[in-house]
Structure formats: C-alpha cells, structure tokens
Amino acid sequence: MSYYTRVLSKDEEFPAFDQLAQFIQSGHPDFQLTVEEGTEEEWESLLLSSNDEVEVALLERIPVFDEHDLAEFIDETRDCKPETGVQWLHEFLADVKNIYEFQHLQGAETEEGGNALHALRSHLWERGDAILQADNEGFTNEEGFHIVWQFSDSVSGPWNMGILQDGTWYHFRMDLGDPDHREAFLNGEMPADLSTIRQSESRG
C-alpha cells in the first residue's frame, strides 16, 4: 500500500517548475525533477528521481475548489484528539487552496532519496501558510509540530507535539509510547514532566 505525505497550503499561487527543479539540482545534484502531467508552466504532477532513474516520489498538485475536496481529511479527524487541535485544523482546512501530495516510491527508502524528498517537501511548506500531514501520523500546525493524534496504539519514540490553549501554542517533545504523555496530549494538556520548547500565538 502506498505511503503519502502532504503539504496543505493556503496560497493559491504555486511555485514554478523551473524554480523547483533548480532547487533540487542545487541542493541534491544526484536527483532531478521532471514533469509527469501538465506543462512546465501549469504542472499537475512531477517525478522526483535519481539521475540513474530510480524513482523517489510522485508529487501531485491538487487545487482545492471547495470543501468537498477536503471532506476526507475532515471526516477522518472528526473524532480525533485533542479537540482543540481538531478544531484549529478544521478552521485551517477551510482556507486551503492547494495540496501538494507526495507518493513515496522505492527511492525514498534510501538515505539520499529520503533527504531529497524531505528537502522538496520542506521547501513547499516553508513558503508559508501551510501545514504538513502524513499517513498514520496526523497533521501539524504551521510550525511543524503535530497537533492531532492519528498514530497506531503501538507507536513509541520521541516526537514534536503542539497543544493549543487559550490561543497559544505550547510546543514540546514527548515520548509517544509513554501512557502519561499520551493521556495528557489527548486531553489537550502538556505532560506534567515536560517543558515547552517554545510558545507562539495561534495565527489560525
């Protein structure tokens, strides 16, 4: 089954193919971007591959025209926790104009391919007014901290998380497998034994 990660952006404008291709070429010269569907001026999907033609990821640009284009994300998170994160997410989704969807392919499993994919995804996200989503993980806020729990029950390890309280994001790193950390996050609270990495006002 294919694995997908996504950048969801409020920006109607999308970066030109030439700009993205140059970004990859300058930072990851062993990799290249090619147009799969559309044209260089109006690209619909791009293929990220190594110079020896190992496919790393298929990037599809999905314009959002109305709420139906986001219905799947809203439905799948409606009963998720914490409630403050879900509410903020749904408000953000209402303004999303473009989804950049990455289908991870064979080359993404190598260190170099994974780094190139991550760089391209981060480049799209860092244009601003955007959040990240990953299958079986959940959504982030605009600063890249996870705000909605969609992990499996068996997950463990450190992860950067964000809790929204009274209009302020509290960012921290928790152990996903720690039952006390998990319970606090699901209840919209910071784990008592952790300190914040930083705080920021919600722009949602």
Side-chain angles (χ1 to χ4, degrees), residues 125-126 130 132 140-147 159-165 167-174 190 194-203:
W125 170 58
E126 290 168 356
L132 299 165
T140 73
N141 59 15
E142 291 175 273
E143 296 183 66
F145 289 78
H146 264 72
I147 62 170
W159 208 262
N160 288 332
M161 311 294 280
I163 287 289
L164 183 62
Q165 294 180 334
T168 298
W169 285 111
Y170 294 87
H171 298 124
F172 54 94
R173 175 172 286 229
M174 65 174 260
M190 263 199 60
L194 299 181
S195 57
T196 54
I197 298 173
R198 66 173 182 265
Q199 298 174 206
S200 62
E201 295 299 311
S202 169
R203 293 175 288 168

PDB file of all heavy atoms in Angstrom, residues 125-126 130 132 140-147 159-165 167-174 190 194-203:
ATOM      1  N   TRP A 125       6.546  23.642   2.062  1.00  0.00           N
ATOM      2  CA  TRP A 125       5.933  24.022   3.329  1.00  0.00           C
ATOM      3  C   TRP A 125       6.443  25.375   3.818  1.00  0.00           C
ATOM      4  O   TRP A 125       5.672  26.214   4.306  1.00  0.00           O
ATOM      5  CB  TRP A 125       6.217  22.919   4.352  1.00  0.00           C
ATOM      6  CG  TRP A 125       5.852  23.271   5.761  1.00  0.00           C
ATOM      7  CD1 TRP A 125       4.612  23.634   6.229  1.00  0.00           C
ATOM      8  CD2 TRP A 125       6.731  23.314   6.888  1.00  0.00           C
ATOM      9  NE1 TRP A 125       4.676  23.886   7.583  1.00  0.00           N
ATOM     10  CE2 TRP A 125       5.965  23.688   8.012  1.00  0.00           C
ATOM     11  CE3 TRP A 125       8.084  23.044   7.055  1.00  0.00           C
ATOM     12  CZ2 TRP A 125       6.510  23.820   9.287  1.00  0.00           C
ATOM     13  CZ3 TRP A 125       8.627  23.163   8.327  1.00  0.00           C
ATOM     14  CH2 TRP A 125       7.851  23.550   9.416  1.00  0.00           C
ATOM     15  N   GLU A 126       7.739  25.617   3.667  1.00  0.00           N
ATOM     16  CA  GLU A 126       8.348  26.831   4.194  1.00  0.00           C
ATOM     17  C   GLU A 126       8.001  28.081   3.391  1.00  0.00           C
ATOM     18  O   GLU A 126       8.380  29.185   3.790  1.00  0.00           O
ATOM     19  CB  GLU A 126       9.871  26.646   4.277  1.00  0.00           C
ATOM     20  CG  GLU A 126      10.279  25.664   5.365  1.00  0.00           C
ATOM     21  CD  GLU A 126      11.730  25.246   5.286  1.00  0.00           C
ATOM     22  OE1 GLU A 126      12.430  25.672   4.328  1.00  0.00           O
ATOM     23  OE2 GLU A 126      12.171  24.465   6.156  1.00  0.00           O
ATOM     24  N   ALA A 130       1.104  27.103   5.566  1.00  0.00           N
ATOM     25  CA  ALA A 130       0.979  25.688   5.192  1.00  0.00           C
ATOM     26  C   ALA A 130       1.208  24.792   6.398  1.00  0.00           C
ATOM     27  O   ALA A 130       1.899  25.165   7.347  1.00  0.00           O
ATOM     28  CB  ALA A 130       1.967  25.344   4.080  1.00  0.00           C
ATOM     29  N   LEU A 132       1.612  20.321   7.490  1.00  0.00           N
ATOM     30  CA  LEU A 132       2.047  19.031   6.973  1.00  0.00           C
ATOM     31  C   LEU A 132       1.103  17.935   7.444  1.00  0.00           C
ATOM     32  O   LEU A 132       0.493  18.034   8.515  1.00  0.00           O
ATOM     33  CB  LEU A 132       3.463  18.717   7.455  1.00  0.00           C
ATOM     34  CG  LEU A 132       4.562  19.691   7.031  1.00  0.00           C
ATOM     35  CD1 LEU A 132       5.812  19.471   7.869  1.00  0.00           C
ATOM     36  CD2 LEU A 132       4.880  19.527   5.552  1.00  0.00           C
ATOM     37  N   THR A 140       0.178  18.609  11.361  1.00  0.00           N
ATOM     38  CA  THR A 140       0.948  19.567  12.147  1.00  0.00           C
ATOM     39  C   THR A 140       0.253  20.925  12.133  1.00  0.00           C
ATOM     40  O   THR A 140      -0.692  21.150  11.363  1.00  0.00           O
ATOM     41  CB  THR A 140       2.368  19.754  11.587  1.00  0.00           C
ATOM     42  OG1 THR A 140       2.300  20.528  10.362  1.00  0.00           O
ATOM     43  CG2 THR A 140       3.052  18.416  11.307  1.00  0.00           C
ATOM     44  N   ASN A 141       0.775  21.835  12.958  1.00  0.00           N
ATOM     45  CA  ASN A 141       0.406  23.240  12.807  1.00  0.00           C
ATOM     46  C   ASN A 141       1.395  23.873  11.831  1.00  0.00           C
ATOM     47  O   ASN A 141       2.204  23.168  11.210  1.00  0.00           O
ATOM     48  CB  ASN A 141       0.362  23.947  14.162  1.00  0.00           C
ATOM     49  CG  ASN A 141       1.705  23.906  14.905  1.00  0.00           C
ATOM     50  OD1 ASN A 141       2.759  23.600  14.344  1.00  0.00           O
ATOM     51  ND2 ASN A 141       1.662  24.215  16.198  1.00  0.00           N
ATOM     52  N   GLU A 142       1.353  25.191  11.710  1.00  0.00           N
ATOM     53  CA  GLU A 142       2.198  25.874  10.726  1.00  0.00           C
ATOM     54  C   GLU A 142       3.679  25.863  11.112  1.00  0.00           C
ATOM     55  O   GLU A 142       4.533  26.193  10.288  1.00  0.00           O
ATOM     56  CB  GLU A 142       1.716  27.307  10.527  1.00  0.00           C
ATOM     57  CG  GLU A 142       0.367  27.382   9.820  1.00  0.00           C
ATOM     58  CD  GLU A 142      -0.162  28.798   9.731  1.00  0.00           C
ATOM     59  OE1 GLU A 142      -0.832  29.242  10.680  1.00  0.00           O
ATOM     60  OE2 GLU A 142       0.098  29.456   8.705  1.00  0.00           O
ATOM     61  N   GLU A 143       3.970  25.475  12.349  1.00  0.00           N
ATOM     62  CA  GLU A 143       5.365  25.419  12.788  1.00  0.00           C
ATOM     63  C   GLU A 143       5.917  23.996  12.762  1.00  0.00           C
ATOM     64  O   GLU A 143       7.045  23.757  13.195  1.00  0.00           O
ATOM     65  CB  GLU A 143       5.481  26.029  14.182  1.00  0.00           C
ATOM     66  CG  GLU A 143       5.129  27.510  14.195  1.00  0.00           C
ATOM     67  CD  GLU A 143       5.307  28.140  15.557  1.00  0.00           C
ATOM     68  OE1 GLU A 143       6.451  28.231  16.025  1.00  0.00           O
ATOM     69  OE2 GLU A 143       4.292  28.538  16.151  1.00  0.00           O
ATOM     70  N   GLY A 144       5.126  23.050  12.261  1.00  0.00           N
ATOM     71  CA  GLY A 144       5.624  21.699  12.066  1.00  0.00           C
ATOM     72  C   GLY A 144       5.485  20.767  13.250  1.00  0.00           C
ATOM     73  O   GLY A 144       6.063  19.675  13.244  1.00  0.00           O
ATOM     74  N   PHE A 145       4.723  21.173  14.280  1.00  0.00           N
ATOM     75  CA  PHE A 145       4.511  20.330  15.451  1.00  0.00           C
ATOM     76  C   PHE A 145       3.177  19.594  15.317  1.00  0.00           C
ATOM     77  O   PHE A 145       2.166  20.200  14.951  1.00  0.00           O
ATOM     78  CB  PHE A 145       4.509  21.177  16.728  1.00  0.00           C
ATOM     79  CG  PHE A 145       5.868  21.715  17.094  1.00  0.00           C
ATOM     80  CD1 PHE A 145       6.406  22.811  16.430  1.00  0.00           C
ATOM     81  CD2 PHE A 145       6.610  21.118  18.100  1.00  0.00           C
ATOM     82  CE1 PHE A 145       7.655  23.316  16.760  1.00  0.00           C
ATOM     83  CE2 PHE A 145       7.876  21.611  18.440  1.00  0.00           C
ATOM     84  CZ  PHE A 145       8.397  22.706  17.765  1.00  0.00           C
ATOM     85  N   HIS A 146       3.160  18.320  15.641  1.00  0.00           N
ATOM     86  CA  HIS A 146       1.947  17.516  15.484  1.00  0.00           C
ATOM     87  C   HIS A 146       0.873  17.944  16.469  1.00  0.00           C
ATOM     88  O   HIS A 146       1.150  18.122  17.664  1.00  0.00           O
ATOM     89  CB  HIS A 146       2.268  16.025  15.679  1.00  0.00           C
ATOM     90  CG  HIS A 146       2.497  15.315  14.388  1.00  0.00           C
ATOM     91  ND1 HIS A 146       3.625  15.507  13.632  1.00  0.00           N
ATOM     92  CD2 HIS A 146       1.719  14.444  13.688  1.00  0.00           C
ATOM     93  CE1 HIS A 146       3.552  14.764  12.522  1.00  0.00           C
ATOM     94  NE2 HIS A 146       2.409  14.113  12.537  1.00  0.00           N
ATOM     95  N   ILE A 147      -0.350  18.081  15.965  1.00  0.00           N
ATOM     96  CA  ILE A 147      -1.435  18.617  16.790  1.00  0.00           C
ATOM     97  C   ILE A 147      -2.638  17.677  16.867  1.00  0.00           C
ATOM     98  O   ILE A 147      -3.551  17.917  17.653  1.00  0.00           O
ATOM     99  CB  ILE A 147      -1.902  19.992  16.264  1.00  0.00           C
ATOM    100  CG1 ILE A 147      -2.466  19.879  14.839  1.00  0.00           C
ATOM    101  CG2 ILE A 147      -0.763  21.001  16.316  1.00  0.00           C
ATOM    102  CD1 ILE A 147      -3.164  21.139  14.347  1.00  0.00           C
ATOM    103  N   TRP A 159       8.716  12.600  19.796  1.00  0.00           N
ATOM    104  CA  TRP A 159       8.032  13.287  18.695  1.00  0.00           C
ATOM    105  C   TRP A 159       7.698  14.713  19.123  1.00  0.00           C
ATOM    106  O   TRP A 159       7.326  14.948  20.281  1.00  0.00           O
ATOM    107  CB  TRP A 159       6.741  12.548  18.343  1.00  0.00           C
ATOM    108  CG  TRP A 159       6.324  12.704  16.904  1.00  0.00           C
ATOM    109  CD1 TRP A 159       5.398  13.580  16.386  1.00  0.00           C
ATOM    110  CD2 TRP A 159       6.819  11.967  15.782  1.00  0.00           C
ATOM    111  NE1 TRP A 159       5.295  13.432  15.030  1.00  0.00           N
ATOM    112  CE2 TRP A 159       6.157  12.444  14.633  1.00  0.00           C
ATOM    113  CE3 TRP A 159       7.757  10.950  15.645  1.00  0.00           C
ATOM    114  CZ2 TRP A 159       6.401  11.932  13.356  1.00  0.00           C
ATOM    115  CZ3 TRP A 159       8.009  10.440  14.377  1.00  0.00           C
ATOM    116  CH2 TRP A 159       7.331  10.927  13.254  1.00  0.00           C
ATOM    117  N   ASN A 160       7.817  15.656  18.200  1.00  0.00           N
ATOM    118  CA  ASN A 160       7.488  17.056  18.487  1.00  0.00           C
ATOM    119  C   ASN A 160       5.987  17.272  18.370  1.00  0.00           C
ATOM    120  O   ASN A 160       5.389  17.018  17.323  1.00  0.00           O
ATOM    121  CB  ASN A 160       8.214  17.982  17.513  1.00  0.00           C
ATOM    122  CG  ASN A 160       9.703  18.056  17.788  1.00  0.00           C
ATOM    123  OD1 ASN A 160      10.143  17.880  18.916  1.00  0.00           O
ATOM    124  ND2 ASN A 160      10.480  18.326  16.758  1.00  0.00           N
ATOM    125  N   MET A 161       5.387  17.769  19.451  1.00  0.00           N
ATOM    126  CA  MET A 161       3.944  17.920  19.527  1.00  0.00           C
ATOM    127  C   MET A 161       3.577  19.353  19.893  1.00  0.00           C
ATOM    128  O   MET A 161       4.393  20.098  20.445  1.00  0.00           O
ATOM    129  CB  MET A 161       3.356  16.967  20.581  1.00  0.00           C
ATOM    130  CG  MET A 161       3.833  15.523  20.465  1.00  0.00           C
ATOM    131  SD  MET A 161       3.288  14.678  18.964  1.00  0.00           S
ATOM    132  CE  MET A 161       1.604  14.228  19.427  1.00  0.00           C
ATOM    133  N   GLY A 162       2.331  19.721  19.608  1.00  0.00           N
ATOM    134  CA  GLY A 162       1.839  21.048  19.955  1.00  0.00           C
ATOM    135  C   GLY A 162       0.445  20.977  20.543  1.00  0.00           C
ATOM    136  O   GLY A 162      -0.412  20.240  20.044  1.00  0.00           O
ATOM    137  N   ILE A 163       0.222  21.727  21.608  1.00  0.00           N
ATOM    138  CA  ILE A 163      -1.085  21.826  22.254  1.00  0.00           C
ATOM    139  C   ILE A 163      -1.525  23.287  22.198  1.00  0.00           C
ATOM    140  O   ILE A 163      -0.745  24.190  22.514  1.00  0.00           O
ATOM    141  CB  ILE A 163      -1.017  21.355  23.728  1.00  0.00           C
ATOM    142  CG1 ILE A 163      -0.871  19.832  23.794  1.00  0.00           C
ATOM    143  CG2 ILE A 163      -2.239  21.811  24.511  1.00  0.00           C
ATOM    144  CD1 ILE A 163      -2.115  19.063  23.386  1.00  0.00           C
ATOM    145  N   LEU A 164      -2.774  23.533  21.809  1.00  0.00           N
ATOM    146  CA  LEU A 164      -3.324  24.884  21.752  1.00  0.00           C
ATOM    147  C   LEU A 164      -4.174  25.133  22.988  1.00  0.00           C
ATOM    148  O   LEU A 164      -5.144  24.419  23.242  1.00  0.00           O
ATOM    149  CB  LEU A 164      -4.164  25.056  20.484  1.00  0.00           C
ATOM    150  CG  LEU A 164      -4.762  26.449  20.249  1.00  0.00           C
ATOM    151  CD1 LEU A 164      -3.661  27.489  20.084  1.00  0.00           C
ATOM    152  CD2 LEU A 164      -5.667  26.430  19.005  1.00  0.00           C
ATOM    153  N   GLN A 165      -3.786  26.158  23.756  1.00  0.00           N
ATOM    154  CA  GLN A 165      -4.547  26.537  24.948  1.00  0.00           C
ATOM    155  C   GLN A 165      -4.727  28.053  24.962  1.00  0.00           C
ATOM    156  O   GLN A 165      -3.747  28.800  24.951  1.00  0.00           O
ATOM    157  CB  GLN A 165      -3.819  26.091  26.225  1.00  0.00           C
ATOM    158  CG  GLN A 165      -3.732  24.579  26.388  1.00  0.00           C
ATOM    159  CD  GLN A 165      -2.999  24.170  27.651  1.00  0.00           C
ATOM    160  OE1 GLN A 165      -2.168  24.911  28.163  1.00  0.00           O
ATOM    161  NE2 GLN A 165      -3.304  22.981  28.163  1.00  0.00           N
ATOM    162  N   GLY A 167      -5.530  30.216  22.749  1.00  0.00           N
ATOM    163  CA  GLY A 167      -4.925  30.963  21.645  1.00  0.00           C
ATOM    164  C   GLY A 167      -3.415  30.896  21.561  1.00  0.00           C
ATOM    165  O   GLY A 167      -2.814  31.560  20.722  1.00  0.00           O
ATOM    166  N   THR A 168      -2.769  30.107  22.428  1.00  0.00           N
ATOM    167  CA  THR A 168      -1.312  29.984  22.423  1.00  0.00           C
ATOM    168  C   THR A 168      -0.905  28.535  22.185  1.00  0.00           C
ATOM    169  O   THR A 168      -1.452  27.622  22.805  1.00  0.00           O
ATOM    170  CB  THR A 168      -0.714  30.459  23.770  1.00  0.00           C
ATOM    171  OG1 THR A 168      -1.026  31.838  23.960  1.00  0.00           O
ATOM    172  CG2 THR A 168       0.798  30.286  23.789  1.00  0.00           C
ATOM    173  N   TRP A 169       0.054  28.345  21.276  1.00  0.00           N
ATOM    174  CA  TRP A 169       0.613  27.013  21.050  1.00  0.00           C
ATOM    175  C   TRP A 169       1.724  26.759  22.053  1.00  0.00           C
ATOM    176  O   TRP A 169       2.622  27.579  22.232  1.00  0.00           O
ATOM    177  CB  TRP A 169       1.190  26.900  19.643  1.00  0.00           C
ATOM    178  CG  TRP A 169       0.190  26.783  18.545  1.00  0.00           C
ATOM    179  CD1 TRP A 169      -0.093  27.710  17.580  1.00  0.00           C
ATOM    180  CD2 TRP A 169      -0.658  25.656  18.275  1.00  0.00           C
ATOM    181  NE1 TRP A 169      -1.058  27.240  16.736  1.00  0.00           N
ATOM    182  CE2 TRP A 169      -1.430  25.983  17.141  1.00  0.00           C
ATOM    183  CE3 TRP A 169      -0.840  24.417  18.885  1.00  0.00           C
ATOM    184  CZ2 TRP A 169      -2.366  25.109  16.596  1.00  0.00           C
ATOM    185  CZ3 TRP A 169      -1.778  23.550  18.351  1.00  0.00           C
ATOM    186  CH2 TRP A 169      -2.529  23.883  17.226  1.00  0.00           C
ATOM    187  N   TYR A 170       1.664  25.594  22.693  1.00  0.00           N
ATOM    188  CA  TYR A 170       2.743  25.130  23.557  1.00  0.00           C
ATOM    189  C   TYR A 170       3.385  23.931  22.861  1.00  0.00           C
ATOM    190  O   TYR A 170       2.743  22.907  22.640  1.00  0.00           O
ATOM    191  CB  TYR A 170       2.194  24.742  24.936  1.00  0.00           C
ATOM    192  CG  TYR A 170       1.638  25.917  25.697  1.00  0.00           C
ATOM    193  CD1 TYR A 170       0.319  26.323  25.521  1.00  0.00           C
ATOM    194  CD2 TYR A 170       2.446  26.645  26.575  1.00  0.00           C
ATOM    195  CE1 TYR A 170      -0.192  27.416  26.204  1.00  0.00           C
ATOM    196  CE2 TYR A 170       1.944  27.741  27.271  1.00  0.00           C
ATOM    197  CZ  TYR A 170       0.622  28.121  27.075  1.00  0.00           C
ATOM    198  OH  TYR A 170       0.125  29.213  27.745  1.00  0.00           O
ATOM    199  N   HIS A 171       4.650  24.080  22.510  1.00  0.00           N
ATOM    200  CA  HIS A 171       5.363  23.056  21.750  1.00  0.00           C
ATOM    201  C   HIS A 171       6.318  22.296  22.658  1.00  0.00           C
ATOM    202  O   HIS A 171       7.024  22.903  23.469  1.00  0.00           O
ATOM    203  CB  HIS A 171       6.137  23.700  20.600  1.00  0.00           C
ATOM    204  CG  HIS A 171       5.258  24.404  19.619  1.00  0.00           C
ATOM    205  ND1 HIS A 171       5.418  25.735  19.285  1.00  0.00           N
ATOM    206  CD2 HIS A 171       4.189  23.967  18.906  1.00  0.00           C
ATOM    207  CE1 HIS A 171       4.491  26.081  18.405  1.00  0.00           C
ATOM    208  NE2 HIS A 171       3.739  25.026  18.161  1.00  0.00           N
ATOM    209  N   PHE A 172       6.360  20.989  22.524  1.00  0.00           N
ATOM    210  CA  PHE A 172       7.190  20.161  23.377  1.00  0.00           C
ATOM    211  C   PHE A 172       7.494  18.846  22.662  1.00  0.00           C
ATOM    212  O   PHE A 172       6.893  18.520  21.636  1.00  0.00           O
ATOM    213  CB  PHE A 172       6.478  19.880  24.709  1.00  0.00           C
ATOM    214  CG  PHE A 172       5.095  19.296  24.550  1.00  0.00           C
ATOM    215  CD1 PHE A 172       4.882  17.929  24.580  1.00  0.00           C
ATOM    216  CD2 PHE A 172       3.998  20.132  24.364  1.00  0.00           C
ATOM    217  CE1 PHE A 172       3.613  17.389  24.419  1.00  0.00           C
ATOM    218  CE2 PHE A 172       2.711  19.605  24.196  1.00  0.00           C
ATOM    219  CZ  PHE A 172       2.522  18.234  24.226  1.00  0.00           C
ATOM    220  N   ARG A 173       8.454  18.105  23.222  1.00  0.00           N
ATOM    221  CA  ARG A 173       8.806  16.790  22.675  1.00  0.00           C
ATOM    222  C   ARG A 173       8.401  15.730  23.693  1.00  0.00           C
ATOM    223  O   ARG A 173       8.842  15.772  24.837  1.00  0.00           O
ATOM    224  CB  ARG A 173      10.301  16.711  22.377  1.00  0.00           C
ATOM    225  CG  ARG A 173      10.749  15.327  21.908  1.00  0.00           C
ATOM    226  CD  ARG A 173      12.188  15.339  21.442  1.00  0.00           C
ATOM    227  NE  ARG A 173      12.299  15.999  20.155  1.00  0.00           N
ATOM    228  CZ  ARG A 173      12.952  15.496  19.102  1.00  0.00           C
ATOM    229  NH1 ARG A 173      13.541  14.324  19.166  1.00  0.00           N
ATOM    230  NH2 ARG A 173      13.018  16.170  17.972  1.00  0.00           N
ATOM    231  N   MET A 174       7.557  14.811  23.276  1.00  0.00           N
ATOM    232  CA  MET A 174       7.075  13.775  24.177  1.00  0.00           C
ATOM    233  C   MET A 174       7.439  12.394  23.660  1.00  0.00           C
ATOM    234  O   MET A 174       7.826  12.236  22.503  1.00  0.00           O
ATOM    235  CB  MET A 174       5.550  13.868  24.372  1.00  0.00           C
ATOM    236  CG  MET A 174       4.733  13.592  23.124  1.00  0.00           C
ATOM    237  SD  MET A 174       2.942  13.544  23.462  1.00  0.00           S
ATOM    238  CE  MET A 174       2.658  11.750  23.540  1.00  0.00           C
ATOM    239  N   MET A 190      -0.329  19.691  28.376  1.00  0.00           N
ATOM    240  CA  MET A 190       1.084  19.339  28.301  1.00  0.00           C
ATOM    241  C   MET A 190       1.407  18.293  29.352  1.00  0.00           C
ATOM    242  O   MET A 190       0.941  18.409  30.483  1.00  0.00           O
ATOM    243  CB  MET A 190       1.956  20.572  28.545  1.00  0.00           C
ATOM    244  CG  MET A 190       2.442  21.241  27.290  1.00  0.00           C
ATOM    245  SD  MET A 190       3.866  22.295  27.628  1.00  0.00           S
ATOM    246  CE  MET A 190       5.059  21.130  28.268  1.00  0.00           C
ATOM    247  N   LEU A 194       7.247  17.535  31.384  1.00  0.00           N
ATOM    248  CA  LEU A 194       7.955  18.100  30.233  1.00  0.00           C
ATOM    249  C   LEU A 194       7.917  19.622  30.273  1.00  0.00           C
ATOM    250  O   LEU A 194       7.047  20.219  30.891  1.00  0.00           O
ATOM    251  CB  LEU A 194       7.324  17.610  28.925  1.00  0.00           C
ATOM    252  CG  LEU A 194       7.330  16.102  28.676  1.00  0.00           C
ATOM    253  CD1 LEU A 194       6.685  15.795  27.340  1.00  0.00           C
ATOM    254  CD2 LEU A 194       8.760  15.546  28.722  1.00  0.00           C
ATOM    255  N   SER A 195       8.879  20.237  29.602  1.00  0.00           N
ATOM    256  CA  SER A 195       8.895  21.691  29.482  1.00  0.00           C
ATOM    257  C   SER A 195       8.710  22.071  28.023  1.00  0.00           C
ATOM    258  O   SER A 195       9.001  21.282  27.114  1.00  0.00           O
ATOM    259  CB  SER A 195      10.218  22.267  30.008  1.00  0.00           C
ATOM    260  OG  SER A 195      11.321  21.688  29.316  1.00  0.00           O
ATOM    261  N   THR A 196       8.234  23.276  27.809  1.00  0.00           N
ATOM    262  CA  THR A 196       7.967  23.712  26.434  1.00  0.00           C
ATOM    263  C   THR A 196       9.268  23.999  25.699  1.00  0.00           C
ATOM    264  O   THR A 196      10.231  24.506  26.275  1.00  0.00           O
ATOM    265  CB  THR A 196       7.096  24.982  26.410  1.00  0.00           C
ATOM    266  OG1 THR A 196       7.711  25.992  27.212  1.00  0.00           O
ATOM    267  CG2 THR A 196       5.702  24.693  26.923  1.00  0.00           C
ATOM    268  N   ILE A 197       9.270  23.630  24.405  1.00  0.00           N
ATOM    269  CA  ILE A 197      10.376  24.028  23.533  1.00  0.00           C
ATOM    270  C   ILE A 197      10.248  25.511  23.233  1.00  0.00           C
ATOM    271  O   ILE A 197      11.200  26.279  23.292  1.00  0.00           O
ATOM    272  CB  ILE A 197      10.359  23.201  22.229  1.00  0.00           C
ATOM    273  CG1 ILE A 197      10.558  21.711  22.535  1.00  0.00           C
ATOM    274  CG2 ILE A 197      11.424  23.700  21.265  1.00  0.00           C
ATOM    275  CD1 ILE A 197      10.395  20.816  21.325  1.00  0.00           C
ATOM    276  N   ARG A 198       9.023  25.930  22.913  1.00  0.00           N
ATOM    277  CA  ARG A 198       8.719  27.339  22.719  1.00  0.00           C
ATOM    278  C   ARG A 198       7.212  27.508  22.665  1.00  0.00           C
ATOM    279  O   ARG A 198       6.459  26.563  22.514  1.00  0.00           O
ATOM    280  CB  ARG A 198       9.366  27.879  21.442  1.00  0.00           C
ATOM    281  CG  ARG A 198       8.846  27.311  20.139  1.00  0.00           C
ATOM    282  CD  ARG A 198       9.442  28.055  18.952  1.00  0.00           C
ATOM    283  NE  ARG A 198       8.954  27.580  17.683  1.00  0.00           N
ATOM    284  CZ  ARG A 198       9.557  26.676  16.932  1.00  0.00           C
ATOM    285  NH1 ARG A 198      10.672  26.129  17.371  1.00  0.00           N
ATOM    286  NH2 ARG A 198       9.069  26.310  15.776  1.00  0.00           N
ATOM    287  N   GLN A 199       6.790  28.763  22.807  1.00  0.00           N
ATOM    288  CA  GLN A 199       5.383  29.099  22.711  1.00  0.00           C
ATOM    289  C   GLN A 199       5.186  30.073  21.556  1.00  0.00           C
ATOM    290  O   GLN A 199       6.104  30.802  21.171  1.00  0.00           O
ATOM    291  CB  GLN A 199       4.895  29.773  24.012  1.00  0.00           C
ATOM    292  CG  GLN A 199       5.008  28.902  25.242  1.00  0.00           C
ATOM    293  CD  GLN A 199       4.658  29.644  26.510  1.00  0.00           C
ATOM    294  OE1 GLN A 199       5.119  29.304  27.582  1.00  0.00           O
ATOM    295  NE2 GLN A 199       3.844  30.679  26.403  1.00  0.00           N
ATOM    296  N   SER A 200       3.989  30.075  20.981  1.00  0.00           N
ATOM    297  CA  SER A 200       3.693  31.028  19.926  1.00  0.00           C
ATOM    298  C   SER A 200       2.202  31.267  19.876  1.00  0.00           C
ATOM    299  O   SER A 200       1.406  30.389  20.219  1.00  0.00           O
ATOM    300  CB  SER A 200       4.193  30.522  18.564  1.00  0.00           C
ATOM    301  OG  SER A 200       3.528  29.312  18.211  1.00  0.00           O
ATOM    302  N   GLU A 201       1.823  32.462  19.442  1.00  0.00           N
ATOM    303  CA  GLU A 201       0.410  32.777  19.307  1.00  0.00           C
ATOM    304  C   GLU A 201      -0.153  32.071  18.086  1.00  0.00           C
ATOM    305  O   GLU A 201       0.510  31.968  17.047  1.00  0.00           O
ATOM    306  CB  GLU A 201       0.217  34.303  19.163  1.00  0.00           C
ATOM    307  CG  GLU A 201       0.625  35.090  20.401  1.00  0.00           C
ATOM    308  CD  GLU A 201      -0.174  34.712  21.631  1.00  0.00           C
ATOM    309  OE1 GLU A 201      -1.421  34.666  21.514  1.00  0.00           O
ATOM    310  OE2 GLU A 201       0.429  34.445  22.679  1.00  0.00           O
ATOM    311  N   SER A 202      -1.376  31.592  18.212  1.00  0.00           N
ATOM    312  CA  SER A 202      -2.036  30.944  17.080  1.00  0.00           C
ATOM    313  C   SER A 202      -2.385  31.976  16.030  1.00  0.00           C
ATOM    314  O   SER A 202      -2.933  33.039  16.335  1.00  0.00           O
ATOM    315  CB  SER A 202      -3.312  30.231  17.536  1.00  0.00           C
ATOM    316  OG  SER A 202      -4.072  29.814  16.422  1.00  0.00           O
ATOM    317  N   ARG A 203      -2.060  31.667  14.761  1.00  0.00           N
ATOM    318  CA  ARG A 203      -2.403  32.556  13.654  1.00  0.00           C
ATOM    319  C   ARG A 203      -3.632  32.080  12.924  1.00  0.00           C
ATOM    320  O   ARG A 203      -4.028  32.608  11.901  1.00  0.00           O
ATOM    321  CB  ARG A 203      -1.232  32.656  12.674  1.00  0.00           C
ATOM    322  CG  ARG A 203      -0.024  33.345  13.256  1.00  0.00           C
ATOM    323  CD  ARG A 203       1.143  33.314  12.283  1.00  0.00           C
ATOM    324  NE  ARG A 203       1.704  31.966  12.181  1.00  0.00           N
ATOM    325  CZ  ARG A 203       2.569  31.596  11.246  1.00  0.00           C
ATOM    326  NH1 ARG A 203       2.946  32.451  10.323  1.00  0.00           N
ATOM    327  NH2 ARG A 203       3.051  30.373  11.235  1.00  0.00           N
TER     328      ARG A 203
END
